[in-house]
Each structure stands twice: as structure tokens, then as C-alpha cells.
Amino acid sequence: MDLLAEIYNSFNPFETASKEAYVDCREVRGNWEVYQELGKKVVLSKHATCQLCSGHRGTGKSTELLRLKENLEGRGYFVVYFAVDDQDIEPEDVEYADILMACTRHLVEAVKIEQHNPLLEWMELRWESFKDLMLMEVSFEKLNLEQQISQFSKITATIKAVPDMRREIRQKINANTPSLVKALNDFILQAQKSLPKGKNNGLVIIVDNLDRIVEVKEEGRPSNYEEIYLNRSEMLRGLKCHVLYTVPIDVVYSDLATNFDTSYHNLEVVPMMMVRNPNGDANETGLKKLRELICQRVRLIKPELEKTLEGKVKGLDLPAVFDSPETLKHLCLMSGGHMRDLMKLIQSAIEQVDQLPITSKAVKLAIEKARETYRKGVQEHHWDILAQANSCKDKKDDKEHLRLLRNRSLLEYRYYDENDSLQIWCDVHPLIEGTPKFKDALSKIQSVTGTTL
């Protein structure tokens, strides 16, 4: 039971993979590799870059961005990475001011400038108005350096946790945005001169988890997405260092995306992993990658499991964990190549057994539970749309198809064909394919077209 618990927790779907557990999946992501797509612009450009990165939640985006951080640090860059929703923003209520203050907070904490710190000087000049909000009595100059720096984290923590004060703080930040951006850039220029030894190539900020922002629309006003990423784009890309912001996948699948080319250096989407080919056959390379990923995590739990797995690593059958290679293959196929779904399915299957191996029956029960979750996310008029998408392996650029892409009922894949041409195709999530309503909708299309798919 202890070993079962260890395996269960090693597949936590909400935990970023460790460096040791990482598996390079570029082969089945359409040759997408994070340094190639995002890092090279930083290394090659003589000027500050501002890039956007998106992808479905749970596809391994944070893992890739942490790899980018490590890669750039190895090339002599000082990288400030932070998950913005941990302590700085409330994803269901976000404005540009929150993001600006979060960047300010993490920069001033990461690079300690004791004398003539532009950000601390900015705060001191506005301390009277901020201290009233923060219920502070002491004067700013009486605080020591660490206490002065900590005031930025107190502000972001209040923005995240105290809705009643959020609006007031935003108003003060918005009223002082030009001066704050100037102080921030003065700080960045000063920080570039005092970076640690071996980090002289420049400063890079990676703001992760902005993709978790919930869209807010009010009649007669631009959505918060449009306000943040387009109306405030000049501010977002106005920092005098390399910056990478994550962006909600909804923005990628909307008409806003066409405006990004003129506002940002790049918009990259972390692709899904292909576990099937467009003709419906299993993609053996993709399945091998998922088995390798599972094998790696199991091996890291207990070194003694290496002997159990010895001789089986080539085939990656994992007989010590699953009752048969077919059981493992079925589980991987049902994930659709979505990493978080794979982790959830494994945990759910483990919940169905009291000892190893994980059985075929346990996997089937886990799949049925996950299938019901997906089924609830499909509205009645969507079944015909899904069946049509499954038939043609493509999508239309309308609101209904975009909605289905957002909730992962439809999955998008990419690969390069034998002529090195990029091919992008869509299919229904394998969990949805097994629902009776989808099968009925597909049968209707087949009866009209006279085909069997």
C-alpha cells in the first residue's frame, strides 16, 4: 500500500514535472521545442523581446518554461520566473495593474539594490497613500531594506486576497503607471550592471500561469483579455528586458490573435502530443513517449524497482505496475496525448485497486469516470459538430468549434509531413468518442455520406 501511495503521488496532475522526470517529446509535438521556439529570439536579439506563450492547461507548458529558464541560465542570463497566481493575482478578477505590480515585486526581490533603488524611491514618494491602504503607521524611511522590499509583496497579496481593497490599489497604480514603468526600467538598467558573475547576458522575466485568467466581458466595454494584451500591449512590451508572458488559450482561438503579430515578437502554442494519426491508427512514437514518461516516474520512486523493470525498459511494458502492455496502451490512448488527463487517469485507476498491478478493469473504470466528466461539458447541439470534426479531422473558425477546443472536447495536433510541410489537424477527445450520443451523431453522418469511419 505504501508503494501504491508513492506511485499515486508521483502522478500528481497539478504538480510540475521534476527535471529528473522530464521526457523530451518534441517528436510528437510537431518538432516543437521550447528553446528553439522561444529561447532563440532572446539569445539572437540585440534588443529586448516580448513574447507570448499559450497552450491547453495541463499540456506541460510550465514544465517547458522551467526548462527554458534552465537553458537560458546556462547561457549566461539571469532569469526571474514566477507563477503569477501563487501569490499575486486572483485569476477570476485580473487587470493590467495586477500584472505590472507582480513583475515589480518579483524583480525587486530577485535583484537586491541597496543604494538608489529606483523602485524603492518610487514607493517612498507614494508611501503616504499606500500605507493608509495597508494600515501601516511607520514611515517608509524607518523600515530596513528587507521591510521596504516586502511592501511590494504585501500589495500583491492584498490584490489577490482582499477584493474590497483591490479596486483602490488598482486606482493608485493606474494613476501612477507611467512613473512606475519608468522606475521599473531604471531599476532594470541598474540591475543589468549588478547581476551575479556569469549572468552578464541580460535579464529575462517569465510570467507563468497568466493563462489561468478568466475572461470577463461587460457590455459596451472591451473584455479583460483585450484590455490586458492589446490595449495595454505597449506597457507589457515596454520593459527594457526580455519578457515572456503566458496567455489564455481562449485568446489564441479568438479574433484577438490576429492582432498579436503587430504587438508582440512571437505567440507560441505548446502543442498536444500525438498518440493517434489522422487516419485513426495509433501513433506508436507518441505512445512510446507516454510509456517512457510513466516508466521514468515509476523508476524515480524506488531505485529497487529498477531490477523489476530491468529487461523491460526497451519495450516499456512495466509489468510491475500494469497487468499487461495492452492495459497501459489503452490508458495512454484514452488520454488523447493530454498530459494532465494521463496523470488523472493513472491516479483514478490506482484508486480502484488495493495492490499492484493496476488491472484492465481498474483502467476501464477510471476511463468511464473521466468520460462522464467530459460528457457533461458537451451541449446537445455540439454532438453533430463533434461528429463532423471527427469525420473531416478539421475545425471551422466559428464560436462553437472554438468553445469545443477550449474545453478540450476537440484536440488539435501538429506534425511535419515527408515534404517538411506543417500539418495541423483536429480530432475529438478519445473519451468523448465512447459516449452513446457521439456514436449516434457519427452514425447519422455515416448514413448520409455512405462511409464507415
Side-chain angles (χ1 to χ4, degrees), residues 225-375:
Y225 288 173
E226 188 173 353
E227 181 64 25
I228 291 170
Y229 291 103
L230 291 179
N231 296 348
R232 294 285 192 161
S233 63
E234 187 174 347
M235 293 294 185
L236 285 178
R237 57 188 170 85
L239 301 186
K240 295 185 181 298
C241 66
H242 300 288
V243 190
L244 191 154
Y245 303 100
T246 47
V247 60
I249 193 70
D250 304 50
V251 174
V252 178
Y253 294 134
S254 75
D255 54 5
L256 295 180
T258 57
N259 298 314
F260 285 154
D261 283 345
T262 57
S263 299
Y264 299 95
H265 291 89
N266 193 20
L267 169 58
E268 281 294 325
V269 178
V270 180
M272 206 75 69
M273 293 175 60
M274 275 180 58
V275 292
R276 290 191 302 184
N277 299 317
N279 64 4
D281 293 342
N283 184 298
E284 294 301 332
T285 304
L287 291 174
K288 182 180 178 180
K289 284 295 179 182
L290 291 188
R291 291 195 295 266
E292 184 182 346
L293 183 150
I294 294 169
C295 182
Q296 184 71 0
R297 293 196 178 207
V298 172
R299 188 187 292 117
L300 288 171
I301 296 168
K302 287 184 179 293
E304 56 264 31
L305 281 181
E306 186 72 35
K307 291 184 178 180
T308 309
L309 300 174
E310 192 175 356
K312 299 290 183 180
V313 174
K314 283 188 179 180
L316 296 171
D317 296 331
L318 292 184
V321 179
F322 295 89
D323 64 359
S324 73
E326 289 73 25
T327 296
L328 176 56
K329 180 178 180 179
H330 186 45
L331 185 145
C332 291
L333 280 171
M334 288 299 103
S335 73
H338 185 266
M339 295 298 298
R340 186 166 293 166
D341 279 352
L342 177 68
M343 303 297 161
K344 286 183 175 181
L345 284 170
I346 292 175
Q347 283 199 335
S348 182
I350 291 175
E351 291 167 4
Q352 310 302 322
V353 299
D354 293 321
Q355 61 182 18
L356 293 176
I358 299 171
T359 63
S360 173
K361 181 179 179 180
V363 167
K364 287 178 181 177
L365 289 171
I367 288 169
E368 288 304 314
K369 288 178 66 176
R371 178 172 287 142
E372 180 61 14
T373 299
Y374 269 91
R375 185 196 65 78

Side-chain angles (χ1 to χ4, degrees), residues 74-89:
R75 296 172 186 273
Y77 290 86
F78 187 88
V79 183
V80 179
Y81 167 96
F82 61 97
V84 72
D85 63 332
D86 280 352
Q87 301 175 355
D88 303 301
I89 67 166

Side-chain angles (χ1 to χ4, degrees), residues 51-216:
Q51 301 183 76
L52 302 178
C53 179
S54 189
H56 283 290
R57 289 179 62 179
T59 54
K61 183 169 59 278
S62 293
T63 299
E64 294 295 340
L65 291 179
L66 286 169
R67 282 189 67 242
L68 178 62
K69 173 181 183 292
E70 183 181 13
N71 189 308
L72 291 175
E73 287 175 339
R75 296 172 186 273
Y77 290 86
F78 187 88
V79 183
V80 179
Y81 167 96
F82 61 97
V84 72
D85 63 332
D86 280 352
Q87 301 175 355
D88 303 301
I89 67 166
E90 169 48 57
E92 294 190 5
D93 181 11
V94 180
E95 292 185 8
Y96 164 76
D98 310 352
I99 300 170
L100 179 62
M101 186 53 69
C103 291
T104 303
R105 171 254 171 120
H106 286 278
L107 273 176
V108 78
E109 288 180 351
V111 185
K112 302 292 175 63
I113 299 176
E114 296 189 19
Q115 301 296 324
H116 306 296
N117 185 318
L119 287 173
L120 296 184
E121 291 172 357
W122 180 90
M123 177 64 77
E124 184 174 8
L125 289 173
R126 292 152 187 84
W127 181 242
E128 288 301 317
S129 60
F130 275 112
K131 81 173 186 178
D132 290 340
L133 284 174
M134 307 303 294
L135 301 178
M136 293 280 290
E137 297 294 335
V138 66
S139 62
F140 192 78
E141 61 269 17
K142 289 184 179 179
L143 300 174
N144 61 37
L145 178 64
E146 291 298 328
Q147 290 172 328
Q148 289 179 350
I149 291 173
S150 72
Q151 300 312 308
F152 290 95
S153 63
K154 287 182 179 180
I155 290 173
T156 61
T158 303
I159 289 173
K160 177 179 175 64
V162 188
D164 291 344
M165 295 180 63
R166 193 176 293 151
R167 184 173 297 277
E168 291 184 64
I169 293 175
R170 284 172 178 163
Q171 287 174 347
K172 293 191 178 297
I173 296 172
N174 286 329
N176 291 277
T177 294
S179 62
L180 177 56
V181 172
K182 183 182 183 306
L184 195 50
N185 280 329
D186 289 344
F187 176 90
I188 289 169
L189 292 175
Q190 194 169 332
Q192 304 268 26
K193 300 174 184 177
S194 57
L195 293 175
K197 186 178 179 181
K199 304 296 180 185
N200 300 324
N201 281 341
L203 186 64
V204 181
I205 305 172
I206 300 178
V207 188
D208 199 1
N209 289 358
L210 283 173
D211 55 302
R212 299 182 180 183
I213 296 175
V214 176
E215 186 174 19
V216 177

